[in-house]
Amino acid sequence: MKRVVIMGATSGIGLMVARKLAASGMRVGVAGRKTDVLRQLKEQYPDNVEFESIDITRRDATRLLRVLIDRLGGMDTYFHISGVGYENVALDPRKELTTIETNVTGFARMTGYAFRYFRDNNGGRGHIAAVTSVAGTNGIGRLAAYSSSKCFDQCYLRALNQLATVEKLDIKFTDIRPGWVRTPLLYDDRDYPMTMQVPYAAKRIIRAVRRRNRVAVIDWRWNLVVGLWRLIPNWLWVRLPIKVDSIASPAQEREHAAELRAEKP
């Protein structure tokens, strides 16, 4: 993992991982929508960081990713961290579709491109890592689009893994599945079960990526929870009144509302 591109490096886990890898001396390509944060990373680590403003929901995202890869001098690991999520009991279609557009369409767009890049370059070698979520284990009613999108991401990585194996490509895959992490997605004044701080989670995430673990649940407590969830039969799961505090912070809700207003004619 000498040259890594991090998609979603402007806040939370992505920003922390980018800083740690750049500080360790690695060549890091950072991407996201907040250009000012990306520029600050470049200023902080001028010799190790290259950046490009990329919105994964736009069709030009893969072209810009290639620009970043070329600027970095190539890519050994693609690390996808971009994602959004809302608690949406009302099933507001705009929130549901925004989640799917980012976490499903954007995910497939970018990881699919990374697969094609490694297949056609680097002698068919590479590493695709992505942060999904423990929420992808089963569908959660209050997080219908979010949990379903993370399930898609996990299945997509598994399918790409199979494709690489059948085509005899040396592409490795790492699926990172964290529980609650205290990032901007969470409300500051709310308590969440078994919440992890970003430095704690980032350290374990980097270790899993370096080791190229196929699946890594972050952390051991959530690994136990996920194991229990898998034992619950579907007939019982759909009857569980699972309550989840919102995973969209007030800032993210305001940003979403602004985007919706901008879309109105």
Side-chain angles (χ1 to χ4, degrees):
M1 190 171 66
K2 297 178 181 178
R3 299 164 299 183
V4 57
V5 170
I6 302 175
M7 188 63 58
T10 58
S11 66
I13 294 172
L15 179 57
M16 178 65 70
V17 168
R19 284 174 172 161
K20 285 183 175 295
L21 293 183
S24 72
M26 289 184 56
R27 291 278 290 159
V28 184
V30 293
R33 295 190 301 174
K34 300 176 182 177
T35 306
D36 56 335
V37 177
L38 299 174
R39 187 173 291 111
Q40 289 171 10
L41 281 170
K42 173 64 176 176
E43 292 172 353
Q44 188 174 5
Y45 305 99
D47 297 328
N48 296 345
V49 168
E50 300 294 341
F51 75 91
E52 186 67 43
S53 298
I54 300 177
D55 182 344
I56 65 172
T57 66
R58 297 177 61 89
R59 292 184 178 180
D60 67 349
T62 54
R63 179 183 64 80
L64 294 174
L65 174 57
R66 184 54 190 257
V67 169
L68 178 58
I69 292 171
D70 291 343
R71 191 177 297 145
L72 194 63
M75 177 175 70
D76 302 302
T77 297
Y78 175 76
F79 193 5
H80 191 99
I81 307 179
S82 295
V84 298
Y86 302 95
E87 180 185 24
N88 190 16
V89 179
L91 295 181
D92 176 347
R94 289 185 180 269
K95 289 183 178 180
E96 296 292 275
L97 295 177
T98 294
T99 301
I100 292 170
E101 184 179 17
T102 302
N103 296 359
V104 175
T105 304
F107 184 92
R109 174 181 287 123
M110 306 312 291
T111 55
Y113 180 84
F115 184 97
R116 296 192 301 275
Y117 174 83
F118 290 134
R119 181 189 60 196
D120 301 334
N121 300 274
N122 288 21
R125 295 187 302 273
H127 183 198
I128 297 175
V131 171
T132 64
S133 173
V134 296
T137 306
N138 285 322
I140 299 174
R142 303 177 75 87
L143 306 172
Y146 179 76
S147 58
S148 299
S149 70
K150 294 303 180 178
C151 182
F152 170 90
D153 296 347
Q154 293 166 8
C155 187
Y156 195 76
L157 290 175
R158 192 179 310 119
L160 292 184
N161 195 168
Q162 183 192 62
L163 182 60
T165 302
V166 171
E167 294 190 355
K168 297 183 177 5
L169 300 172
D170 188 18
I171 303 176
K172 307 302 182 183
F173 297 84
T174 298
D175 181 352
I176 307 290
R177 304 178 183 180
W180 293 122
V181 180
R182 180 58 68 181
T183 70
L185 281 176
L186 304 185
Y187 280 94
D188 292 334
D189 60 349
R190 292 190 183 180
D191 293 325
Y192 299 81
M194 298 185 293
T195 305
M196 296 171 281
Q197 297 301 317
V198 171
Y200 173 89
K203 179 180 179 180
R204 283 153 181 78
I205 288 170
I206 291 173
R207 182 170 59 195
V209 174
R210 288 188 185 278
R211 292 177 176 176
R212 297 193 172 190
N213 295 145
R214 178 59 189 84
V215 175
V217 178
I218 311 295
D219 59 0
W220 66 271
R221 298 168 300 173
W222 282 102
N223 198 25
L224 291 175
V225 170
V226 168
L228 292 173
W229 282 355
R230 291 198 181 105
L231 296 176
I232 300 175
N234 187 61
W235 66 266
L236 177 57
W237 179 266
V238 298
R239 288 169 170 78
L240 296 178
I242 297 176
K243 295 183 179 180
V244 181
D245 283 324
S246 178
I247 60 171
S249 69
Q252 189 181 39
E253 292 283 8
R254 289 194 296 270
E255 180 181 356
H256 178 67
E259 290 173 352
L260 297 185
R261 287 194 298 272
E263 292 174 1
K264 292 181 179 179

